[in-house]
Amino acid sequence: MRDVAHLAGVSHQTVSRVINDHPNVRSQTRARVLDAMRALDYQPNIAARTLATNRSQTVGLVTFDTTLFGPSFMVHAIERAAREAGYFVSIASAREPDVPQVRDAVRRLREQAVEGIVTLAPVAAAWTALRQVPLDVPIVGLGITAEAGDDSEVPMVAIDNAAGAALATRHLLELGHRTVHHVAGPANWPEARERMAGWRTALEDAGRSAPAPLTSDWSAAAGYAAGRTLAERPEVTAVFCANDQVAVGVLRALYEAGRSVPHAVSVVGFDDMPEAPYLLPPLTTVRQDFAELGRRSLDLLVDQISTGSRRGGEFRSAPSLIVRSSTATPLAL
């Protein structure tokens, strides 16, 4: 730091202010210091700064399967929100979404002196693991929701999955379909259970029977297997899929079986992945606002860091239905 100060013609205190983005530095002086840092390839010693200030300006992120569209976009949203808030992100992956793995990932992040942790592991085991984190650790569960009647000091941020599923189901019913079939996500994911509950409630509210749902692991391959089963049933005219990747597999299976989409069967997904408008036909789906979820998670985490207290509660982001060409009035009408 003294070398930078000498080259820039300023005090080392001024260099410190520039490094810490202090507002009381003239723009010309800031530019000279930054030029000197680049010329000398100066890199601040984060470990030393952490020891001196007790602040690492780093938050931790626990995740486990970023190959799925939803979790991967959540990671991106968190990283972007953290940058905007002035934090770095350290990621710890759990090999399996079970209690010991999530707990170990939290432990590893705490060893790195992160100031707070966002946990993106939206399965029932992650909820159990988060409840075991000491109250003095700032933490937020992203995409994780408490079970009905459960109470916790862990703040939660998630999409309103039940409302999104109800939007999709009502859309299909309003088009004239007698009922809506459902390809659900894994049973150990609260998100999947909530989407199933929203689908079932919308059918019950309309006085329609709920067909037995098929299950998937969120993948296009599982959607394809379910789609082949549905394609063999002539009474199937509408399918709500737990996510867009499942819907991709269902579309392929229906195409191979000669069941035209949307004229013979209408299909709705969930997520609104970037490829959804370019499928054949373009996919009607429920959109999640991942950017909002990331911002809200960081806001809650930074509030805990600054106040030193953790308050439970749950924020639900409202989904929206994006109607495209994969849904239409059934041919029989």
Side-chain angles (χ1 to χ4, degrees):
M1 189 179 294
R2 284 192 295 270
D3 292 339
V4 171
H6 178 74
L7 183 60
V10 299
S11 68
H12 73 273
Q13 291 93 339
T14 298
V15 175
S16 178
R17 292 189 189 100
V18 171
I19 291 172
N20 291 290
D21 202 25
H22 197 281
N24 295 334
V25 180
R26 289 187 302 174
S27 58
Q28 300 95 327
T29 303
R30 188 183 302 275
R32 289 207 316 273
V33 171
L34 292 174
D35 287 343
M37 289 172 63
R38 283 190 288 269
L40 296 172
D41 193 26
Y42 172 76
Q43 301 294 326
N45 188 319
I46 300 300
R49 189 198 305 179
T50 300
L51 287 173
T53 65
N54 202 30
R55 296 288 306 275
S56 66
Q57 290 299 120
T58 302
V59 296
L61 175 60
V62 175
T63 186
F64 73 99
D65 187 353
T66 54
T67 62
L68 294 172
F69 168 75
S72 67
F73 263 61
M74 290 283 199
V75 169
H76 174 73
I78 286 292
E79 288 182 321
R80 181 171 181 176
R83 276 199 312 273
E84 292 173 353
Y87 286 87
F88 299 101
V89 176
S90 179
I91 298 177
S93 297
R95 291 190 302 273
E96 298 293 336
D98 56 26
V99 174
Q101 290 289 326
V102 173
R103 193 165 50 206
D104 183 64
V106 169
R107 177 189 59 77
R108 283 183 278 129
L109 289 172
R110 294 183 67 193
E111 289 174 352
Q112 297 175 34
V114 298
E115 296 189 34
I117 299 172
V118 177
T119 300
L120 173 57
V123 293
W127 169 244
T128 301
L130 289 192
R131 296 177 65 190
Q132 300 172 5
V133 176
L135 287 175
D136 62 341
V137 178
I139 196 163
V140 173
L142 176 56
I144 309 171
T145 55
E147 298 295 343
D150 206 347
D151 190 20
S152 174
E153 295 292 333
V154 179
M156 302 291 176
V157 176
I159 189 77
D160 193 335
N161 292 289
L167 281 174
T169 306
R170 286 197 297 267
H171 167 67
L172 291 165
L173 294 176
E174 289 166 0
L175 287 172
H177 295 276
R178 294 182 181 277
T179 191
V180 178
H181 292 255
H182 181 41
V183 183
N188 66 324
W189 285 59
E191 285 184 330
R193 294 198 295 271
E194 290 173 359
R195 292 174 194 181
M196 183 186 296
W199 159 75
R200 194 182 301 277
T201 298
L203 288 176
E204 291 173 352
D205 290 346
R208 311 296 174 85
S209 59
L214 302 177
T215 58
S216 75
D217 60 3
W218 299 120
S219 70
Y224 176 76
R228 292 186 64 178
T229 299
L230 293 170
E232 296 174 355
R233 303 175 184 175
E235 74 277 10
V236 175
T237 65
V239 183
F240 164 52
C241 301
N243 72 352
D244 288 349
Q245 288 170 284
V246 167
V248 168
V250 170
L251 289 173
R252 175 60 182 267
L254 292 172
Y255 170 79
E256 290 183 354
R259 302 290 302 277
S260 171
V261 177
H263 303 296
V265 183
S266 288
V267 178
V268 179
F270 202 113
D271 281 339
D272 195 25
M273 64 184 187
E275 297 82 3
Y278 304 102
L279 299 175
L280 192 62
L283 182 65
T284 295
T285 185
V286 177
R287 174 177 292 168
Q288 298 195 58
D289 190 339
F290 292 105
E292 180 190 24
L293 293 171
R295 286 193 301 270
R296 183 56 65 103
S297 298
L298 254 293
D299 287 346
L300 288 173
L301 194 65
V302 171
D303 179 69
Q304 291 180 56
I305 294 170
S306 59
T307 63
S309 63
R310 186 199 297 175
R311 293 183 296 274
E314 195 168 274
F315 168 77
R316 292 281 187 160
S317 174
S320 56
L321 181 69
I322 308 301
V323 179
R324 299 192 178 102
S325 305
S326 68
T327 54
T329 300
L331 283 176
L333 295 182

Coordinates of all heavy atoms in Angstrom, one line a residue, residues 96-150:
E96 N -24.9 -34.2 -2.0 CA -26.2 -34.7 -1.9 C -27.0 -33.7 -1.1 O -26.5 -33.2 -0.1 CB -26.3 -36.1 -1.3 CG -25.5 -37.2 -2.1 CD -26.2 -37.5 -3.5 OE1 -27.4 -37.2 -3.6 OE2 -25.5 -37.9 -4.4
P97 N -28.3 -33.5 -1.4 CA -29.1 -32.6 -0.6 C -29.7 -33.2 0.6 O -30.9 -33.3 0.9 CB -30.3 -32.3 -1.6 CG -30.4 -33.5 -2.4 CD -29.0 -34.1 -2.6
D98 N -28.8 -33.7 1.5 CA -29.2 -34.3 2.8 C -28.7 -33.4 3.9 O -27.9 -32.5 3.7 CB -28.8 -35.8 2.9 CG -27.3 -35.9 2.8 OD1 -26.5 -35.0 3.1 OD2 -26.9 -37.0 2.4
V99 N -29.2 -33.7 5.1 CA -28.8 -32.9 6.3 C -27.3 -32.9 6.5 O -26.7 -31.8 6.7 CB -29.6 -33.4 7.5 CG1 -29.1 -32.6 8.8 CG2 -31.1 -33.2 7.4
P100 N -26.6 -34.0 6.6 CA -25.1 -33.9 6.8 C -24.4 -33.1 5.8 O -23.5 -32.3 6.1 CB -24.7 -35.4 6.8 CG -25.9 -36.1 7.1 CD -27.0 -35.4 6.5
Q101 N -24.7 -33.2 4.5 CA -24.0 -32.5 3.4 C -24.3 -31.0 3.5 O -23.4 -30.2 3.4 CB -24.5 -33.0 2.1 CG -24.0 -34.4 1.8 CD -22.5 -34.5 1.5 OE1 -21.9 -33.5 1.0 NE2 -21.8 -35.5 1.9
V102 N -25.5 -30.6 3.7 CA -25.8 -29.2 3.8 C -25.2 -28.6 5.1 O -24.6 -27.5 5.0 CB -27.4 -29.0 3.9 CG1 -27.7 -27.5 4.1 CG2 -28.0 -29.4 2.5
R103 N -25.2 -29.3 6.2 CA -24.6 -28.9 7.4 C -23.1 -28.7 7.2 O -22.5 -27.7 7.7 CB -24.9 -29.8 8.5 CG -24.6 -29.3 9.9 CD -25.3 -30.2 11.0 NE -25.0 -31.6 10.7 CZ -25.8 -32.6 11.1 NH1 -26.9 -32.3 11.8 NH2 -25.5 -33.9 10.9
D104 N -22.5 -29.6 6.5 CA -21.0 -29.6 6.3 C -20.7 -28.4 5.4 O -19.7 -27.7 5.6 CB -20.5 -30.9 5.6 CG -19.0 -30.9 5.4 OD1 -18.3 -30.8 6.4 OD2 -18.6 -30.9 4.2
A105 N -21.5 -28.1 4.4 CA -21.3 -26.9 3.5 C -21.4 -25.6 4.3 O -20.6 -24.7 4.1 CB -22.3 -26.9 2.3
V106 N -22.3 -25.5 5.2 CA -22.4 -24.3 6.0 C -21.2 -24.2 6.9 O -20.6 -23.1 7.1 CB -23.7 -24.4 6.9 CG1 -23.7 -23.3 8.0 CG2 -25.0 -24.3 6.1
R107 N -20.7 -25.3 7.5 CA -19.5 -25.3 8.3 C -18.3 -24.8 7.5 O -17.5 -24.0 8.0 CB -19.2 -26.7 8.9 CG -17.9 -26.8 9.7 CD -17.6 -28.2 10.0 NE -17.4 -29.0 8.8 CZ -16.3 -29.0 8.0 NH1 -15.3 -28.2 8.4 NH2 -16.2 -29.8 7.0
R108 N -18.1 -25.3 6.3 CA -17.0 -24.9 5.5 C -17.0 -23.4 5.2 O -16.0 -22.7 5.2 CB -16.9 -25.7 4.2 CG -16.4 -27.1 4.4 CD -16.3 -27.9 3.1 NE -17.6 -28.4 2.7 CZ -18.1 -28.3 1.5 NH1 -17.6 -27.5 0.6 NH2 -19.3 -28.8 1.2
L109 N -18.2 -22.9 4.9 CA -18.3 -21.4 4.7 C -18.0 -20.6 5.9 O -17.4 -19.6 5.8 CB -19.7 -21.1 4.1 CG -20.0 -21.6 2.7 CD1 -21.5 -21.4 2.4 CD2 -19.2 -20.8 1.7
R110 N -18.5 -21.1 7.0 CA -18.2 -20.3 8.3 C -16.7 -20.3 8.6 O -16.2 -19.3 9.1 CB -19.0 -21.0 9.4 CG -20.5 -20.8 9.3 CD -21.1 -21.4 10.6 NE -20.9 -20.6 11.8 CZ -21.1 -21.0 13.0 NH1 -21.6 -22.2 13.2 NH2 -20.8 -20.2 14.0
E111 N -16.0 -21.4 8.2 CA -14.5 -21.4 8.4 C -13.8 -20.4 7.5 O -12.7 -20.0 7.8 CB -14.0 -22.8 8.0 CG -14.4 -23.9 9.1 CD -13.9 -25.3 8.7 OE1 -13.5 -25.4 7.5 OE2 -14.0 -26.2 9.5
Q112 N -14.5 -19.9 6.4 CA -13.9 -18.9 5.5 C -14.3 -17.5 6.0 O -14.0 -16.5 5.3 CB -14.4 -19.1 4.1 CG -14.0 -20.4 3.5 CD -14.6 -20.6 2.1 OE1 -14.8 -19.7 1.4 NE2 -14.9 -21.9 1.8
A113 N -14.9 -17.4 7.2 CA -15.3 -16.1 7.8 C -16.2 -15.3 6.9 O -16.2 -14.1 6.8 CB -14.0 -15.3 8.1
V114 N -17.2 -16.0 6.2 CA -18.2 -15.3 5.5 C -19.1 -14.5 6.5 O -19.2 -15.0 7.6 CB -19.0 -16.2 4.6 CG1 -18.2 -16.9 3.5 CG2 -19.8 -17.3 5.4
E115 N -19.6 -13.4 6.0 CA -20.4 -12.6 6.9 C -21.9 -13.1 7.0 O -22.6 -12.8 8.0 CB -20.4 -11.2 6.5 CG -19.0 -10.5 6.6 CD -19.0 -9.0 6.3 OE1 -20.0 -8.4 6.7 OE2 -18.1 -8.5 5.7
G116 N -22.3 -13.9 6.1 CA -23.7 -14.5 6.1 C -23.8 -15.5 5.0 O -22.9 -15.7 4.2
I117 N -24.8 -16.3 5.1 CA -25.0 -17.4 4.2 C -26.4 -17.5 3.6 O -27.4 -17.4 4.3 CB -24.7 -18.8 4.9 CG1 -23.3 -18.8 5.4 CG2 -24.9 -20.0 4.0 CD1 -23.0 -20.0 6.3
V118 N -26.4 -17.7 2.2 CA -27.7 -18.0 1.5 C -27.6 -19.4 1.2 O -26.6 -19.9 0.6 CB -27.9 -17.1 0.3 CG1 -29.1 -17.5 -0.5 CG2 -27.9 -15.6 0.6
T119 N -28.7 -20.2 1.5 CA -28.7 -21.6 1.2 C -29.7 -21.9 0.1 O -30.9 -21.6 0.3 CB -29.0 -22.4 2.4 OG1 -28.1 -22.2 3.4 CG2 -29.1 -23.9 2.1
L120 N -29.2 -22.3 -1.0 CA -30.0 -22.7 -2.2 C -30.0 -24.2 -2.3 O -29.2 -24.8 -3.1 CB -29.5 -22.0 -3.4 CG -30.2 -22.4 -4.8 CD1 -31.7 -22.2 -4.7 CD2 -29.5 -21.6 -5.9
A121 N -30.8 -24.9 -1.6 CA -30.9 -26.3 -1.6 C -32.4 -26.7 -1.3 O -32.7 -27.1 -0.1 CB -30.0 -27.0 -0.6
P122 N -33.3 -26.4 -2.2 CA -34.7 -26.4 -1.9 C -35.3 -27.8 -1.8 O -36.2 -28.2 -2.5 CB -35.3 -25.7 -3.1 CG -34.4 -25.9 -4.2 CD -33.0 -26.0 -3.6
V123 N -34.8 -28.5 -0.8 CA -35.4 -29.8 -0.4 C -35.6 -29.9 1.1 O -35.2 -29.0 1.8 CB -34.4 -31.0 -0.8 CG1 -34.2 -31.1 -2.3 CG2 -33.0 -30.8 -0.2
A124 N -36.4 -30.8 1.5 CA -36.8 -30.9 2.9 C -35.6 -31.0 3.8 O -35.6 -30.4 4.9 CB -37.8 -32.1 3.1
A125 N -34.6 -31.7 3.4 CA -33.4 -31.9 4.3 C -32.7 -30.6 4.5 O -32.2 -30.4 5.6 CB -32.5 -32.9 3.6
A126 N -32.7 -29.7 3.6 CA -32.0 -28.4 3.8 C -32.8 -27.6 4.8 O -32.1 -26.9 5.6 CB -32.0 -27.6 2.4
W127 N -34.1 -27.7 4.8 CA -34.9 -27.0 5.9 C -34.5 -27.5 7.2 O -34.3 -26.7 8.2 CB -36.3 -27.2 5.6 CG -37.3 -26.7 6.6 CD1 -38.1 -27.5 7.4 CD2 -37.5 -25.4 7.1 NE1 -38.8 -26.8 8.3 CE2 -38.5 -25.4 8.1 CE3 -36.9 -24.2 6.7 CZ2 -38.9 -24.3 8.8 CZ3 -37.4 -23.0 7.4 CH2 -38.3 -23.1 8.4
T128 N -34.3 -28.8 7.4 CA -33.9 -29.3 8.7 C -32.5 -28.9 9.1 O -32.3 -28.5 10.2 CB -34.0 -30.9 8.6 OG1 -35.3 -31.3 8.3 CG2 -33.6 -31.5 9.9
A129 N -31.6 -28.8 8.1 CA -30.2 -28.4 8.4 C -30.2 -27.0 8.8 O -29.4 -26.6 9.7 CB -29.3 -28.7 7.2
L130 N -30.9 -26.1 8.1 CA -30.9 -24.7 8.5 C -31.4 -24.4 9.9 O -30.9 -23.4 10.5 CB -31.7 -23.9 7.4 CG -31.2 -23.8 6.0 CD1 -31.9 -22.7 5.2 CD2 -29.7 -23.4 6.0
R131 N -32.3 -25.1 10.3 CA -32.8 -24.9 11.7 C -31.8 -25.2 12.7 O -31.9 -24.8 13.9 CB -34.1 -25.8 11.9 CG -35.2 -25.4 11.0 CD -36.4 -26.3 11.2 NE -37.0 -26.2 12.5 CZ -37.9 -27.0 13.0 NH1 -38.3 -28.0 12.3 NH2 -38.4 -26.8 14.2
Q132 N -30.7 -25.9 12.4 CA -29.7 -26.3 13.3 C -28.5 -25.2 13.3 O -27.6 -25.3 14.1 CB -29.1 -27.7 13.0 CG -30.2 -28.7 13.0 CD -29.7 -30.1 12.5 OE1 -28.5 -30.2 12.2 NE2 -30.5 -31.1 12.5
V133 N -28.6 -24.2 12.4 CA -27.5 -23.2 12.4 C -27.7 -22.3 13.6 O -28.8 -21.8 13.8 CB -27.6 -22.4 11.0 CG1 -26.5 -21.3 11.0 CG2 -27.4 -23.4 9.9
P134 N -26.6 -22.0 14.3 CA -26.7 -21.1 15.5 C -27.3 -19.7 15.1 O -27.2 -19.2 14.0 CB -25.3 -20.9 15.9 CG -24.6 -22.1 15.4 CD -25.2 -22.5 14.1
L135 N -28.1 -19.1 16.0 CA -28.8 -17.9 15.8 C -27.9 -16.7 15.5 O -28.4 -15.7 14.9 CB -29.7 -17.6 16.9 CG -31.0 -18.5 17.1 CD1 -31.7 -18.1 18.4 CD2 -31.9 -18.3 15.9
D136 N -26.6 -16.8 15.9 CA -25.8 -15.6 15.6 C -25.2 -15.6 14.2 O -24.4 -14.8 13.8 CB -24.6 -15.6 16.6 CG -23.7 -16.8 16.5 OD1 -24.2 -17.9 16.0 OD2 -22.6 -16.8 17.0
V137 N -25.5 -16.6 13.4 CA -25.1 -16.7 12.0 C -26.2 -16.2 11.1 O -27.2 -16.7 11.0 CB -24.7 -18.2 11.6 CG1 -24.3 -18.2 10.1 CG2 -23.7 -18.7 12.5
P138 N -25.9 -15.0 10.4 CA -26.9 -14.5 9.4 C -27.1 -15.6 8.3 O -26.2 -16.0 7.7 CB -26.3 -13.3 8.9 CG -25.3 -12.8 9.9 CD -24.8 -14.1 10.5
I139 N -28.4 -15.9 8.0 CA -28.6 -16.9 7.0 C -30.0 -16.7 6.4 O -30.9 -16.2 7.1 CB -28.5 -18.3 7.7 CG1 -28.4 -19.4 6.6 CG2 -29.7 -18.6 8.6 CD1 -27.9 -20.8 7.1
V140 N -30.1 -17.1 5.2 CA -31.4 -17.0 4.4 C -31.6 -18.2 3.6 O -30.6 -18.7 3.0 CB -31.4 -15.7 3.5 CG1 -32.7 -15.7 2.6 CG2 -31.4 -14.4 4.3
G141 N -32.8 -18.8 3.6 CA -33.1 -19.9 2.7 C -33.7 -19.4 1.5 O -34.8 -18.8 1.5
L142 N -33.1 -19.7 0.3 CA -33.6 -19.3 -1.0 C -34.3 -20.5 -1.7 O -33.6 -21.5 -1.9 CB -32.5 -18.7 -1.8 CG -32.9 -18.3 -3.3 CD1 -34.0 -17.3 -3.3 CD2 -31.6 -17.7 -4.0
G143 N -35.5 -20.3 -2.0 CA -36.2 -21.4 -2.7 C -36.7 -22.5 -1.7 O -37.2 -23.5 -2.1
I144 N -36.4 -22.3 -0.4 CA -36.8 -23.3 0.6 C -38.0 -22.7 1.3 O -38.0 -21.5 1.7 CB -35.6 -23.5 1.6 CG1 -34.3 -23.8 0.8 CG2 -36.0 -24.6 2.6 CD1 -33.1 -23.9 1.7
T145 N -39.0 -23.5 1.6 CA -40.1 -23.1 2.3 C -40.4 -24.0 3.5 O -40.2 -25.2 3.4 CB -41.4 -23.1 1.3 OG1 -41.5 -24.4 0.8 CG2 -41.2 -22.1 0.2
A146 N -40.9 -23.4 4.5 CA -41.2 -24.1 5.7 C -42.5 -25.0 5.5 O -43.4 -24.6 4.7 CB -41.5 -23.2 6.9
E147 N -42.5 -26.1 6.1 CA -43.7 -27.0 6.0 C -44.8 -26.3 6.8 O -44.6 -25.5 7.7 CB -43.4 -28.3 6.6 CG -42.3 -29.1 5.8 CD -42.7 -29.5 4.4 OE1 -43.9 -29.4 4.1 OE2 -41.8 -29.8 3.6
A148 N -46.0 -26.6 6.4 CA -47.2 -26.0 7.0 C -47.2 -26.2 8.5 O -46.9 -27.3 9.0 CB -48.5 -26.6 6.4
G149 N -47.4 -25.1 9.2 CA -47.4 -25.1 10.7 C -46.1 -25.1 11.4 O -45.9 -25.0 12.6
D150 N -45.0 -25.1 10.5 CA -43.6 -25.1 11.1 C -43.2 -23.7 11.3 O -43.6 -22.8 10.6 CB -42.6 -25.8 10.2 CG -41.4 -26.3 10.9 OD1 -41.3 -26.0 12.1 OD2 -40.7 -27.1 10.3

